[in-house]
Amino acid sequence: MAPKTKSGTALQWLLGILLTGGGIVMMLPFVWMIMSAFKTESEVKQLPPTLWPKNITFENFSNLFVNMHFGTYLSNTLLIVFFSFIGLFLNAMAGYAFAKFKFKGKDKLFYLVLATMMIPGQVTMIPVYLLLNEMHLTNTMVGIVLPGFVGAFGIFLFRQFMSTIPDELLEATRLDGASEVRTFFQIVLPISKAILAIQGILTFIGGWNSFLWPLIIANDEKLYTLSVGLALLKGEHGSNYALQMAGSTFMVLPVVIVFIFFQKQIIENYSISGIK
């Protein structure tokens, strides 16, 4: 391995400094949003603006849950996320079936699943709404959750990943007397941790940020999600910036935390795969 030259080392230091500076600049609005959530309204509007709050207050968060019904919005959002993760495992089962089972019309059915990815969601909203209306599921939590229970993209990802699992490994588990359910949960899913982590991020973000469909299907405010509540907050309290910063912080932080956690899982699984 050739030794690094002084010019190469200097260039690396320069790039490192530039990237660090760019990262700090990009993080400043995010940090200011979080800090502003703990400020009073007068301090948020103060010029020049301050980064760290002079007097830390939790009044903004208290108003969200006491006066703005954010507790109801949170419970609805968590319920959607919960059922979305159940749908995640259904996607994994379907992907496993397409990858490792042989049945009549498998390829045609898989192509049909892929074809649904070509249709924009906005096109199917009206037909889905009419179907749910005929089933008397509009303005219900079931009507909100049901259309997004499974998805073609998730099935496609799981199918592609699980196709790489050696058939000999699965046959060995079956010869040992393991059922298909046991093989799936004890062999296939642990091997698929990396793709589960990726789908876990996408599933959580999709459920946590649910906005358009709950807004369409639900007429009762008791069924609204956090995203819908945040939009209502902007409309009703557009001049209260501290309250809006608290709502935005409450929406963004869980997504960042979940992303960091699952990102660690992805890196660990890729590292283990590389060692093997």
Side-chain angles (χ1 to χ4, degrees):
M1 185 175 178
K4 295 182 179 179
T5 62
K6 291 183 178 180
S7 59
T9 303
L11 181 61
Q12 287 185 350
W13 274 100
L14 179 61
L15 289 175
I17 293 171
L18 290 175
L19 290 173
T20 302
I24 292 173
V25 171
M26 292 180 64
M27 286 292 294
L28 273 177
F30 180 72
V31 174
W32 185 83
M33 177 190 72
I34 297 175
M35 294 295 103
S36 297
F38 298 95
K39 297 177 184 178
T40 61
E41 178 64 15
S42 59
E43 187 177 354
V44 172
K45 294 180 178 180
Q46 176 182 320
L47 291 176
T50 58
L51 182 62
W52 188 263
K54 296 178 181 178
N55 298 308
I56 297 177
T57 177
F58 292 91
E59 183 180 356
N60 298 316
F61 292 98
S62 177
N63 286 335
L64 288 177
F65 286 91
V66 175
N67 301 320
M68 309 298 169
H69 309 293
F70 261 63
T72 302
Y73 304 152
L74 175 62
S75 62
N76 293 336
T77 303
L78 290 177
L79 194 61
I80 292 173
V81 171
F82 172 74
F83 282 107
S84 296
F85 274 99
I86 294 178
L88 171 65
F89 286 101
L90 294 178
N91 288 336
M93 291 179 183
Y96 175 59
F98 279 120
K100 294 301 179 181
F101 287 87
K102 295 181 180 179
F103 52 90
K104 188 176 181 180
K106 182 182 79 170
D107 293 336
K108 293 180 180 178
L109 184 58
F110 182 65
Y111 293 144
L112 184 63
V113 171
L114 291 182
T116 62
M117 295 174 59
M118 310 300 174
I119 305 173
Q122 294 81 356
V123 174
T124 59
M125 278 185 179
I126 295 176
V128 171
Y129 180 88
L130 294 176
L131 286 172
L132 293 175
N133 190 44
E134 289 295 325
M135 299 168 65
H136 304 287
L137 293 178
T138 55
N139 203 35
T140 63
M141 185 55 67
V142 176
I144 294 175
V145 171
L146 196 59
F149 211 47
V150 293
F153 181 69
I155 294 173
F156 171 73
L157 281 184
F158 279 113
R159 188 261 186 188
Q160 296 302 105
F161 186 88
M162 292 177 179
S163 296
T164 62
I165 299 176
D167 293 332
E168 294 79 7
L169 177 62
L170 302 179
E171 289 297 330
T173 59
R174 295 184 183 113
L175 290 174
D176 288 338
S179 64
E180 290 297 337
V181 175
R182 185 178 177 184
T183 300
F184 177 74
F185 282 101
Q186 293 189 357
I187 303 298
V188 176
L189 285 186
I191 294 175
S192 306
K193 282 183 178 179
I195 195 66
L196 279 171
I198 294 171
Q199 278 296 101
I201 294 173
L202 298 177
T203 299
F204 180 82
I205 292 175
W208 187 260
N209 293 333
S210 299
F211 174 74
L212 186 57
W213 182 246
L215 186 63
I216 292 173
I217 202 73
N219 299 322
D220 191 349
E221 191 175 345
K222 293 181 180 178
L223 295 173
Y224 285 168
T225 60
L226 284 172
S227 295
V228 179
L230 192 62
L232 293 176
L233 178 66
K234 183 179 179 181
E236 295 175 2
H237 302 273
S239 59
N240 193 332
Y241 298 115
L243 196 62
Q244 291 186 56
M245 292 301 105
S248 301
T249 299
F250 189 75
M251 277 291 301
V252 171
L253 273 183
V255 176
V256 175
I257 293 171
V258 168
F259 178 78
I260 293 173
F261 174 77
F262 278 103
Q263 185 186 44
K264 181 181 178 181
Q265 299 298 317
I266 295 171
I267 294 173
E268 286 180 354
N269 279 283
Y270 276 127
S271 299
I272 293 172
S273 299
I275 293 171
K276 290 181 180 179

